[in-house]
Amino acid sequence: MTERPLFVLTEQIDNPRTCVNHLLFPAHCETRWHRHERDYVIVPMQACELLIDTGEGPKPVALKPGECYYRDAGVEHNVINPSDTDITLIEVEIK
């Protein structure tokens, strides 16, 4: 089995209250399994569909540009871009 390429996280802001990251998901990449240590908000920059696996198999999640979603810290998961298109998200971690 060939490993997927990894996504690219670029920190944009890190201050006492928040950390803001630019997340680039090149075509067919993944985050690999990880867990967030802080609550966070994701802001999709374009319409897309990602696969999110929380241990029960990858499930498709449709995202719309500018429609944010919130997640509590602590959930282990892997995010996969199954498409042929690069996807950009903004992640805001709450300290």
Side-chain angles (χ1 to χ4, degrees):
M1 180 172 148
T2 304
E3 286 191 23
R4 292 182 188 95
L6 287 177
F7 83 120
V8 178
L9 182 151
T10 304
E11 185 179 271
Q12 293 185 331
I13 298 170
D14 188 5
N15 64 40
R17 299 183 68 188
T18 63
C19 182
V20 179
N21 299 308
H22 178 273
L23 308 178
L24 173 63
F25 286 80
H28 305 287
C29 82
E30 69 178 316
T31 59
R32 298 217 179 113
W33 287 94
H34 66 285
R35 180 185 332 255
H36 292 257
E37 300 300 320
R38 303 174 216 175
D39 298 341
Y40 63 98
V41 172
I42 295 292
V43 183
M45 301 308 289
Q46 76 254 32
C48 61
E49 184 173 278
L50 295 172
L51 298 176
I52 306 216
D53 191 347
T54 59
E56 299 174 359
K59 294 189 173 36
V61 175
L63 303 175
K64 295 181 182 177
E67 285 192 12
C68 307
Y69 68 88
Y70 166 87
R71 293 288 182 261
D72 290 324
V75 176
E76 190 171 0
H77 60 288
N78 184 25
V79 181
I80 302 162
N81 175 4
S83 75
D84 294 329
T85 304
D86 293 354
I87 295 170
T88 300
L89 308 174
I90 301 297
E91 173 189 75
V92 181
E93 295 180 319
I94 303 161
K95 293 184 177 179

